[in-house]
Amino acid sequence: MLINAVIIILREVLEASLIMGVLLAICQHYEFSRAWAIKAVFVGLIGSAVYAANLPLISNLNDGVGQEISNVGIYALIYIFVLYIIYGLRIKNNAHLITNAMLVCVVMAIIREGAEIIVFVEGFSSVPDLLTPVLVGGSIGFGIGASMGVFMYYLVSSLSFMAGLRLSLLLLTLMAGGMVSQAVQMLQQADLITGQLPIWDTSAYINEQSLLGQMLFAFMGYESTPTPYQVVFYMLSMVFIITFMLGTLKKIKIMSAHD
């Protein structure tokens, strides 16, 4: 149970941690205020507690698929605001709107992942023999996940402005595309999109439940058995957001040359 708790909590923490680390690194390069991060954590933790407390009610909505629909909505909001961040970086004197968009992204990520952690831990609250290893394993998973976010922040921050920007936008693009894939999977689970057979199976090479699999899941929404819909929507979302990314990089390069 300890190992399972490590992997489960790591998966939940890693996604939000990486997003925050990358966004804070962008703020570092642009010299934006990072005060929004404290607000995002505070609001996100409160929001995750409220969301977790109301999950039984939410889950019963829309013929029992309310949780899937609400999670799809969260992923959609993050994707939209990531698009805005990428686009907004090409506009001068836009720091306030960009940091507000960053705040929304992190709040949504913490609400989504934090609620899952609360529900997972609460499930063992009545079983003392299992609760201790779950808490210990969860603490280890949380520590690893948070450390990865800190590592990503310092990695991106240590690079030159353009190199750091390219890496941070690439990471945001991969994570946003992964969220679209996850959203499609949830819609299929809710029978709002026709279920399909997987088009390949890479679990023999990288198991989703392994540490590497969970890290790839957080970085890019890795799925060992994706359906055709997941692949199609993932590719379409990637093409769309990469177009934004390349346009922003081109614009910033031109702006830097004129400064």
Side-chain angles (χ1 to χ4, degrees):
M1 181 53 67
L2 187 145
I3 299 299
N4 288 339
V6 170
I7 293 175
I8 290 171
I9 301 301
L10 171 62
R11 178 186 64 195
E12 304 301 343
V13 171
L14 192 55
E15 197 168 279
S17 177
L18 288 173
I19 291 174
M20 176 174 274
V22 171
L23 294 179
L24 284 172
I26 291 175
C27 289
Q28 173 72 14
H29 279 297
Y30 273 85
E31 299 182 350
F32 291 164
S33 169
R34 285 167 285 180
W36 62 267
I38 298 174
K39 298 176 186 176
V41 172
F42 181 72
V43 175
L45 290 176
I46 293 176
S48 64
V50 173
Y51 187 43
N54 289 280
L55 265 181
L57 175 63
I58 295 171
S59 298
N60 289 326
L61 297 175
N62 295 96
D63 298 323
V65 295
Q67 183 178 353
E68 286 81 359
I69 293 174
S70 63
N71 285 338
V72 168
I74 289 173
Y75 283 135
L77 278 174
I78 295 175
Y79 183 85
I80 290 169
F81 278 96
V82 166
L83 280 178
Y84 177 78
I85 291 167
I86 293 175
Y87 181 82
L89 289 173
R90 69 179 74 177
I91 303 172
K92 287 186 175 182
N93 303 318
N94 199 28
H96 181 67
L97 291 177
I98 292 175
T99 53
N100 281 341
M102 290 178 175
L103 184 146
V104 173
C105 285
V106 173
V107 166
M108 290 295 104
I110 292 176
I111 288 175
R112 162 81 176 90
E113 313 305 340
E116 294 288 340
I117 292 173
I118 293 171
V119 171
F120 174 72
V121 174
E122 279 188 343
F124 295 93
S125 60
S126 60
V127 189
D129 291 342
L130 294 179
L131 181 59
T132 298
V134 165
L135 291 175
V136 172
S139 298
I140 295 171
F142 180 88
I144 296 172
S147 298
M148 287 296 296
V150 172
F151 170 78
M152 192 57 61
Y153 166 75
Y154 282 107
L155 172 64
V156 177
S157 297
S158 67
L159 300 174
S160 65
F161 176 78
M162 284 306 299
L165 186 61
R166 290 190 186 98
L167 178 57
S168 57
L169 294 188
L170 175 61
L171 290 170
L172 283 179
T173 296
L174 290 173
M175 287 187 280
M179 290 180 186
V180 170
S181 176
Q182 293 175 52
V184 173
Q185 184 183 42
M186 289 179 182
L187 289 173
Q188 289 180 315
Q189 291 173 352
D191 290 328
L192 297 174
I193 293 180
T194 305
Q196 298 172 308
L197 293 174
I199 57 177
W200 64 64
D201 185 353
T202 57
S203 57
Y205 305 100
I206 303 177
N207 192 305
E208 278 181 62
Q209 304 308 314
S210 67
L211 182 59
L212 177 59
Q214 292 301 319
M215 291 179 67
L216 289 175
F217 178 84
F219 271 107
M220 55 183 293
Y222 171 73
E223 170 74 49
S224 60
T225 55
T227 63
Y229 276 144
Q230 281 182 276
V231 174
V232 169
F233 279 97
Y234 180 84
M235 296 304 295
L236 288 175
S237 68
M238 289 294 285
V239 168
F240 189 63
I241 199 168
I242 286 173
T243 301
F244 269 62
M245 181 184 74
L246 293 177
T248 294
L249 289 173
K250 182 178 179 181
K251 180 72 173 180
I252 291 173
K253 192 173 181 180
I254 293 172
M255 290 165 57
S256 299
H258 288 167
D259 289 340

mmCIF file of all heavy atoms in Angstrom, residues 144-186:
data_model
loop_
_atom_site.group_PDB
_atom_site.id
_atom_site.type_symbol
_atom_site.label_atom_id
_atom_site.label_comp_id
_atom_site.label_asym_id
_atom_site.label_seq_id
_atom_site.Cartn_x
_atom_site.Cartn_y
_atom_site.Cartn_z
ATOM 1 N N ILE A 144 8.272 14.102 -3.660
ATOM 2 C CA ILE A 144 8.872 13.893 -4.982
ATOM 3 C C ILE A 144 8.226 14.814 -6.004
ATOM 4 O O ILE A 144 8.901 15.461 -6.810
ATOM 5 C CB ILE A 144 8.737 12.422 -5.426
ATOM 6 C CG1 ILE A 144 9.522 11.507 -4.483
ATOM 7 C CG2 ILE A 144 9.234 12.244 -6.864
ATOM 8 C CD1 ILE A 144 9.284 10.033 -4.742
ATOM 9 N N GLY A 145 6.893 14.877 -5.969
ATOM 10 C CA GLY A 145 6.173 15.714 -6.927
ATOM 11 C C GLY A 145 6.506 17.183 -6.786
ATOM 12 O O GLY A 145 6.758 17.877 -7.775
ATOM 13 N N ALA A 146 6.537 17.668 -5.538
ATOM 14 C CA ALA A 146 6.872 19.072 -5.306
ATOM 15 C C ALA A 146 8.316 19.353 -5.720
ATOM 16 O O ALA A 146 8.611 20.413 -6.291
ATOM 17 C CB ALA A 146 6.669 19.413 -3.830
ATOM 18 N N SER A 147 9.209 18.408 -5.451
ATOM 19 C CA SER A 147 10.617 18.576 -5.820
ATOM 20 C C SER A 147 10.797 18.680 -7.327
ATOM 21 O O SER A 147 11.635 19.445 -7.811
ATOM 22 C CB SER A 147 11.453 17.414 -5.275
ATOM 23 O OG SER A 147 11.416 17.372 -3.866
ATOM 24 N N MET A 148 9.994 17.923 -8.068
ATOM 25 C CA MET A 148 10.072 17.989 -9.527
ATOM 26 C C MET A 148 9.663 19.366 -10.027
ATOM 27 O O MET A 148 10.244 19.901 -10.971
ATOM 28 C CB MET A 148 9.183 16.911 -10.150
ATOM 29 C CG MET A 148 9.718 15.498 -10.013
ATOM 30 S SD MET A 148 11.279 15.262 -10.901
ATOM 31 C CE MET A 148 10.743 15.540 -12.594
ATOM 32 N N GLY A 149 8.651 19.956 -9.402
ATOM 33 C CA GLY A 149 8.238 21.303 -9.782
ATOM 34 C C GLY A 149 9.319 22.326 -9.486
ATOM 35 O O GLY A 149 9.585 23.221 -10.295
ATOM 36 N N VAL A 150 9.968 22.185 -8.312
ATOM 37 C CA VAL A 150 11.069 23.087 -7.948
ATOM 38 C C VAL A 150 12.239 22.914 -8.914
ATOM 39 O O VAL A 150 12.844 23.896 -9.378
ATOM 40 C CB VAL A 150 11.530 22.823 -6.504
ATOM 41 C CG1 VAL A 150 12.788 23.624 -6.185
ATOM 42 C CG2 VAL A 150 10.414 23.160 -5.516
ATOM 43 N N PHE A 151 12.542 21.653 -9.232
ATOM 44 C CA PHE A 151 13.634 21.371 -10.174
ATOM 45 C C PHE A 151 13.355 22.012 -11.532
ATOM 46 O O PHE A 151 14.233 22.612 -12.150
ATOM 47 C CB PHE A 151 13.812 19.861 -10.340
ATOM 48 C CG PHE A 151 14.741 19.474 -11.456
ATOM 49 C CD1 PHE A 151 16.122 19.563 -11.296
ATOM 50 C CD2 PHE A 151 14.242 19.031 -12.678
ATOM 51 C CE1 PHE A 151 16.977 19.223 -12.332
ATOM 52 C CE2 PHE A 151 15.091 18.689 -13.708
ATOM 53 C CZ PHE A 151 16.468 18.779 -13.535
ATOM 54 N N MET A 152 12.110 21.873 -12.010
ATOM 55 C CA MET A 152 11.757 22.441 -13.307
ATOM 56 C C MET A 152 11.884 23.964 -13.280
ATOM 57 O O MET A 152 12.342 24.572 -14.263
ATOM 58 C CB MET A 152 10.328 22.030 -13.678
ATOM 59 C CG MET A 152 9.965 22.316 -15.126
ATOM 60 S SD MET A 152 11.100 21.520 -16.292
ATOM 61 C CE MET A 152 10.829 19.794 -15.876
ATOM 62 N N TYR A 153 11.491 24.574 -12.167
ATOM 63 C CA TYR A 153 11.610 26.032 -12.044
ATOM 64 C C TYR A 153 13.066 26.466 -12.184
ATOM 65 O O TYR A 153 13.386 27.384 -12.950
ATOM 66 C CB TYR A 153 11.041 26.485 -10.701
ATOM 67 C CG TYR A 153 11.415 27.905 -10.347
ATOM 68 C CD1 TYR A 153 10.806 28.982 -10.973
ATOM 69 C CD2 TYR A 153 12.410 28.166 -9.395
ATOM 70 C CE1 TYR A 153 11.163 30.288 -10.666
ATOM 71 C CE2 TYR A 153 12.763 29.466 -9.082
ATOM 72 C CZ TYR A 153 12.141 30.525 -9.714
ATOM 73 O OH TYR A 153 12.508 31.810 -9.414
ATOM 74 N N TYR A 154 13.942 25.825 -11.434
ATOM 75 C CA TYR A 154 15.354 26.224 -11.472
ATOM 76 C C TYR A 154 16.011 25.862 -12.802
ATOM 77 O O TYR A 154 16.898 26.592 -13.281
ATOM 78 C CB TYR A 154 16.116 25.594 -10.309
ATOM 79 C CG TYR A 154 15.881 26.313 -9.005
ATOM 80 C CD1 TYR A 154 15.090 25.750 -8.006
ATOM 81 C CD2 TYR A 154 16.431 27.574 -8.781
ATOM 82 C CE1 TYR A 154 14.860 26.424 -6.813
ATOM 83 C CE2 TYR A 154 16.205 28.257 -7.598
ATOM 84 C CZ TYR A 154 15.419 27.679 -6.616
ATOM 85 O OH TYR A 154 15.191 28.367 -5.435
ATOM 86 N N LEU A 155 15.579 24.770 -13.414
ATOM 87 C CA LEU A 155 16.125 24.394 -14.717
ATOM 88 C C LEU A 155 15.803 25.454 -15.766
ATOM 89 O O LEU A 155 16.696 25.950 -16.467
ATOM 90 C CB LEU A 155 15.558 23.042 -15.163
ATOM 91 C CG LEU A 155 15.904 22.607 -16.600
ATOM 92 C CD1 LEU A 155 17.406 22.403 -16.755
ATOM 93 C CD2 LEU A 155 15.141 21.344 -16.985
ATOM 94 N N VAL A 156 14.534 25.825 -15.856
ATOM 95 C CA VAL A 156 14.116 26.811 -16.854
ATOM 96 C C VAL A 156 14.696 28.186 -16.528
ATOM 97 O O VAL A 156 15.142 28.916 -17.414
ATOM 98 C CB VAL A 156 12.579 26.872 -16.951
ATOM 99 C CG1 VAL A 156 12.154 27.948 -17.945
ATOM 100 C CG2 VAL A 156 12.011 25.523 -17.380
ATOM 101 N N SER A 157 14.716 28.543 -15.239
ATOM 102 C CA SER A 157 15.224 29.851 -14.834
ATOM 103 C C SER A 157 16.709 30.010 -15.117
ATOM 104 O O SER A 157 17.193 31.129 -15.332
ATOM 105 C CB SER A 157 14.975 30.077 -13.338
ATOM 106 O OG SER A 157 13.600 30.086 -13.054
ATOM 107 N N SER A 158 17.447 28.896 -15.108
ATOM 108 C CA SER A 158 18.894 28.965 -15.304
ATOM 109 C C SER A 158 19.288 29.180 -16.759
ATOM 110 O O SER A 158 20.431 29.521 -17.052
ATOM 111 C CB SER A 158 19.554 27.687 -14.785
ATOM 112 O OG SER A 158 19.179 26.568 -15.577
ATOM 113 N N LEU A 159 18.345 28.971 -17.669
ATOM 114 C CA LEU A 159 18.640 29.111 -19.092
ATOM 115 C C LEU A 159 18.567 30.572 -19.515
ATOM 116 O O LEU A 159 18.028 31.420 -18.800
ATOM 117 C CB LEU A 159 17.649 28.277 -19.918
ATOM 118 C CG LEU A 159 17.638 26.764 -19.647
ATOM 119 C CD1 LEU A 159 16.506 26.106 -20.429
ATOM 120 C CD2 LEU A 159 18.975 26.132 -20.010
ATOM 121 N N SER A 160 19.097 30.842 -20.695
ATOM 122 C CA SER A 160 18.979 32.191 -21.253
ATOM 123 C C SER A 160 17.509 32.493 -21.528
ATOM 124 O O SER A 160 16.665 31.582 -21.541
ATOM 125 C CB SER A 160 19.777 32.297 -22.554
ATOM 126 O OG SER A 160 19.210 31.454 -23.554
ATOM 127 N N PHE A 161 17.208 33.758 -21.764
ATOM 128 C CA PHE A 161 15.804 34.155 -21.940
ATOM 129 C C PHE A 161 15.111 33.336 -23.031
ATOM 130 O O PHE A 161 14.067 32.724 -22.790
ATOM 131 C CB PHE A 161 15.726 35.643 -22.282
ATOM 132 C CG PHE A 161 14.327 36.112 -22.579
ATOM 133 C CD1 PHE A 161 13.437 36.362 -21.550
ATOM 134 C CD2 PHE A 161 13.892 36.285 -23.892
ATOM 135 C CE1 PHE A 161 12.138 36.781 -21.811
ATOM 136 C CE2 PHE A 161 12.600 36.704 -24.161
ATOM 137 C CZ PHE A 161 11.726 36.952 -23.122
ATOM 138 N N MET A 162 15.668 33.286 -24.229
ATOM 139 C CA MET A 162 15.005 32.598 -25.339
ATOM 140 C C MET A 162 14.993 31.095 -25.136
ATOM 141 O O MET A 162 13.992 30.423 -25.417
ATOM 142 C CB MET A 162 15.680 32.942 -26.669
ATOM 143 C CG MET A 162 15.345 34.338 -27.190
ATOM 144 S SD MET A 162 13.547 34.670 -27.336
ATOM 145 C CE MET A 162 13.024 33.422 -28.510
ATOM 146 N N ALA A 163 16.097 30.527 -24.622
ATOM 147 C CA ALA A 163 16.136 29.079 -24.391
ATOM 148 C C ALA A 163 15.131 28.684 -23.316
ATOM 149 O O ALA A 163 14.404 27.678 -23.451
ATOM 150 C CB ALA A 163 17.542 28.648 -23.991
ATOM 151 N N GLY A 164 15.068 29.472 -22.250
ATOM 152 C CA GLY A 164 14.107 29.201 -21.187
ATOM 153 C C GLY A 164 12.675 29.341 -21.671
ATOM 154 O O GLY A 164 11.802 28.550 -21.290
ATOM 155 N N LEU A 165 12.432 30.337 -22.506
ATOM 156 C CA LEU A 165 11.090 30.540 -23.037
ATOM 157 C C LEU A 165 10.674 29.384 -23.942
ATOM 158 O O LEU A 165 9.547 28.888 -23.851
ATOM 159 C CB LEU A 165 11.032 31.864 -23.814
ATOM 160 C CG LEU A 165 9.646 32.279 -24.310
ATOM 161 C CD1 LEU A 165 8.686 32.473 -23.149
ATOM 162 C CD2 LEU A 165 9.739 33.550 -25.139
ATOM 163 N N ARG A 166 11.589 28.952 -24.800
ATOM 164 C CA ARG A 166 11.279 27.819 -25.684
ATOM 165 C C ARG A 166 10.942 26.568 -24.879
ATOM 166 O O ARG A 166 9.954 25.872 -25.173
ATOM 167 C CB ARG A 166 12.457 27.538 -26.620
ATOM 168 C CG ARG A 166 12.695 28.585 -27.689
ATOM 169 C CD ARG A 166 13.723 28.112 -28.704
ATOM 170 N NE ARG A 166 14.067 29.163 -29.650
ATOM 171 C CZ ARG A 166 15.141 29.928 -29.554
ATOM 172 N NH1 ARG A 166 16.005 29.756 -28.543
ATOM 173 N NH2 ARG A 166 15.387 30.867 -30.453
ATOM 174 N N LEU A 167 11.754 26.280 -23.868
ATOM 175 C CA LEU A 167 11.515 25.082 -23.061
ATOM 176 C C LEU A 167 10.218 25.189 -22.279
ATOM 177 O O LEU A 167 9.427 24.233 -22.238
ATOM 178 C CB LEU A 167 12.688 24.850 -22.103
ATOM 179 C CG LEU A 167 12.550 23.640 -21.162
ATOM 180 C CD1 LEU A 167 12.350 22.360 -21.956
ATOM 181 C CD2 LEU A 167 13.753 23.540 -20.238
ATOM 182 N N SER A 168 9.963 26.329 -21.673
ATOM 183 C CA SER A 168 8.751 26.484 -20.872
ATOM 184 C C SER A 168 7.492 26.398 -21.737
ATOM 185 O O SER A 168 6.512 25.748 -21.347
ATOM 186 C CB SER A 168 8.780 27.805 -20.102
ATOM 187 O OG SER A 168 8.942 28.908 -20.972
ATOM 188 N N LEU A 169 7.517 27.003 -22.913
ATOM 189 C CA LEU A 169 6.352 26.931 -23.801
ATOM 190 C C LEU A 169 6.156 25.519 -24.335
ATOM 191 O O LEU A 169 5.019 25.056 -24.508
ATOM 192 C CB LEU A 169 6.493 27.922 -24.957
ATOM 193 C CG LEU A 169 6.465 29.407 -24.585
ATOM 194 C CD1 LEU A 169 6.407 30.276 -25.839
ATOM 195 C CD2 LEU A 169 5.289 29.730 -23.672
ATOM 196 N N LEU A 170 7.254 24.819 -24.589
ATOM 197 C CA LEU A 170 7.150 23.428 -25.037
ATOM 198 C C LEU A 170 6.518 22.570 -23.946
ATOM 199 O O LEU A 170 5.621 21.750 -24.230
ATOM 200 C CB LEU A 170 8.531 22.892 -25.396
ATOM 201 C CG LEU A 170 8.597 21.390 -25.773
ATOM 202 C CD1 LEU A 170 7.735 21.110 -27.000
ATOM 203 C CD2 LEU A 170 10.034 20.956 -25.995
ATOM 204 N N LEU A 171 6.946 22.753 -22.710
ATOM 205 C CA LEU A 171 6.383 21.977 -21.604
ATOM 206 C C LEU A 171 4.906 22.295 -21.405
ATOM 207 O O LEU A 171 4.085 21.389 -21.195
ATOM 208 C CB LEU A 171 7.164 22.267 -20.327
ATOM 209 C CG LEU A 171 8.599 21.719 -20.277
ATOM 210 C CD1 LEU A 171 9.337 22.276 -19.059
ATOM 211 C CD2 LEU A 171 8.590 20.193 -20.234
ATOM 212 N N LEU A 172 4.545 23.581 -21.480
ATOM 213 C CA LEU A 172 3.134 23.953 -21.363
ATOM 214 C C LEU A 172 2.314 23.327 -22.479
ATOM 215 O O LEU A 172 1.190 22.862 -22.254
ATOM 216 C CB LEU A 172 2.990 25.478 -21.407
ATOM 217 C CG LEU A 172 3.354 26.264 -20.149
ATOM 218 C CD1 LEU A 172 3.184 27.754 -20.391
ATOM 219 C CD2 LEU A 172 2.515 25.814 -18.961
ATOM 220 N N THR A 173 2.887 23.299 -23.677
ATOM 221 C CA THR A 173 2.193 22.712 -24.827
ATOM 222 C C THR A 173 1.943 21.225 -24.619
ATOM 223 O O THR A 173 0.834 20.725 -24.853
ATOM 224 C CB THR A 173 3.020 22.934 -26.111
ATOM 225 O OG1 THR A 173 3.116 24.335 -26.370
ATOM 226 C CG2 THR A 173 2.388 22.248 -27.302
ATOM 227 N N LEU A 174 2.946 20.512 -24.158
ATOM 228 C CA LEU A 174 2.812 19.068 -23.929
ATOM 229 C C LEU A 174 1.792 18.788 -22.829
ATOM 230 O O LEU A 174 0.946 17.886 -22.968
ATOM 231 C CB LEU A 174 4.168 18.471 -23.553
ATOM 232 C CG LEU A 174 5.217 18.408 -24.666
ATOM 233 C CD1 LEU A 174 6.560 17.958 -24.106
ATOM 234 C CD2 LEU A 174 4.771 17.455 -25.781
ATOM 235 N N MET A 175 1.852 19.550 -21.747
ATOM 236 C CA MET A 175 0.918 19.325 -20.640
ATOM 237 C C MET A 175 -0.512 19.661 -21.047
ATOM 238 O O MET A 175 -1.450 18.942 -20.690
ATOM 239 C CB MET A 175 1.341 20.143 -19.416
ATOM 240 C CG MET A 175 2.570 19.579 -18.717
ATOM 241 S SD MET A 175 2.963 20.407 -17.153
ATOM 242 C CE MET A 175 3.809 21.867 -17.759
ATOM 243 N N ALA A 176 -0.682 20.735 -21.817
ATOM 244 C CA ALA A 176 -2.033 21.114 -22.266
ATOM 245 C C ALA A 176 -2.602 20.056 -23.204
ATOM 246 O O ALA A 176 -3.775 19.694 -23.116
ATOM 247 C CB ALA A 176 -1.994 22.467 -22.960
ATOM 248 N N GLY A 177 -1.767 19.532 -24.097
ATOM 249 C CA GLY A 177 -2.214 18.472 -24.993
ATOM 250 C C GLY A 177 -2.601 17.227 -24.220
ATOM 251 O O GLY A 177 -3.592 16.554 -24.546
ATOM 252 N N GLY A 178 -1.824 16.906 -23.175
ATOM 253 C CA GLY A 178 -2.148 15.754 -22.342
ATOM 254 C C GLY A 178 -3.486 15.915 -21.641
ATOM 255 O O GLY A 178 -4.232 14.938 -21.479
ATOM 256 N N MET A 179 -3.822 17.138 -21.240
ATOM 257 C CA MET A 179 -5.107 17.375 -20.578
ATOM 258 C C MET A 179 -6.273 17.167 -21.532
ATOM 259 O O MET A 179 -7.334 16.694 -21.140
ATOM 260 C CB MET A 179 -5.133 18.781 -19.987
ATOM 261 C CG MET A 179 -4.213 18.928 -18.791
ATOM 262 S SD MET A 179 -4.228 20.592 -18.089
ATOM 263 C CE MET A 179 -2.933 20.426 -16.859
ATOM 264 N N VAL A 180 -6.063 17.524 -22.788
ATOM 265 C CA VAL A 180 -7.107 17.272 -23.786
ATOM 266 C C VAL A 180 -7.339 15.778 -23.937
ATOM 267 O O VAL A 180 -8.480 15.299 -23.998
ATOM 268 C CB VAL A 180 -6.715 17.901 -25.147
ATOM 269 C CG1 VAL A 180 -7.675 17.440 -26.249
ATOM 270 C CG2 VAL A 180 -6.718 19.417 -25.047
ATOM 271 N N SER A 181 -6.250 15.001 -23.974
ATOM 272 C CA SER A 181 -6.365 13.547 -24.069
ATOM 273 C C SER A 181 -7.108 12.976 -22.869
ATOM 274 O O SER A 181 -7.980 12.100 -23.004
ATOM 275 C CB SER A 181 -4.973 12.918 -24.186
ATOM 276 O OG SER A 181 -5.050 11.510 -24.188
ATOM 277 N N GLN A 182 -6.787 13.480 -21.668
ATOM 278 C CA GLN A 182 -7.470 13.013 -20.459
ATOM 279 C C GLN A 182 -8.949 13.373 -20.494
ATOM 280 O O GLN A 182 -9.806 12.597 -20.056
ATOM 281 C CB GLN A 182 -6.810 13.624 -19.226
ATOM 282 C CG GLN A 182 -5.393 13.139 -18.969
ATOM 283 C CD GLN A 182 -4.762 13.875 -17.806
ATOM 284 O OE1 GLN A 182 -5.335 13.953 -16.716
ATOM 285 N NE2 GLN A 182 -3.587 14.447 -18.003
ATOM 286 N N ALA A 183 -9.252 14.574 -20.999
ATOM 287 C CA ALA A 183 -10.643 15.012 -21.077
ATOM 288 C C ALA A 183 -11.444 14.098 -22.007
ATOM 289 O O ALA A 183 -12.579 13.721 -21.695
ATOM 290 C CB ALA A 183 -10.707 16.455 -21.568
ATOM 291 N N VAL A 184 -10.852 13.722 -23.132
ATOM 292 C CA VAL A 184 -11.523 12.823 -24.072
ATOM 293 C C VAL A 184 -11.773 11.466 -23.417
ATOM 294 O O VAL A 184 -12.846 10.869 -23.564
ATOM 295 C CB VAL A 184 -10.696 12.653 -25.367
ATOM 296 C CG1 VAL A 184 -11.303 11.578 -26.263
ATOM 297 C CG2 VAL A 184 -10.620 13.985 -26.111
ATOM 298 N N GLN A 185 -10.778 10.983 -22.667
ATOM 299 C CA GLN A 185 -10.931 9.705 -21.972
ATOM 300 C C GLN A 185 -12.092 9.755 -20.981
ATOM 301 O O GLN A 185 -12.883 8.807 -20.881
ATOM 302 C CB GLN A 185 -9.636 9.351 -21.243
ATOM 303 C CG GLN A 185 -9.675 7.982 -20.558
ATOM 304 C CD GLN A 185 -8.413 7.701 -19.779
ATOM 305 O OE1 GLN A 185 -7.891 8.579 -19.099
ATOM 306 N NE2 GLN A 185 -7.908 6.486 -19.878
ATOM 307 N N MET A 186 -12.225 10.876 -20.257
ATOM 308 C CA MET A 186 -13.320 11.015 -19.296
ATOM 309 C C MET A 186 -14.675 11.077 -19.997
ATOM 310 O O MET A 186 -15.664 10.525 -19.512
ATOM 311 C CB MET A 186 -13.110 12.260 -18.437
ATOM 312 C CG MET A 186 -11.964 12.119 -17.459
ATOM 313 S SD MET A 186 -11.720 13.609 -16.460
ATOM 314 C CE MET A 186 -10.289 13.106 -15.500
#
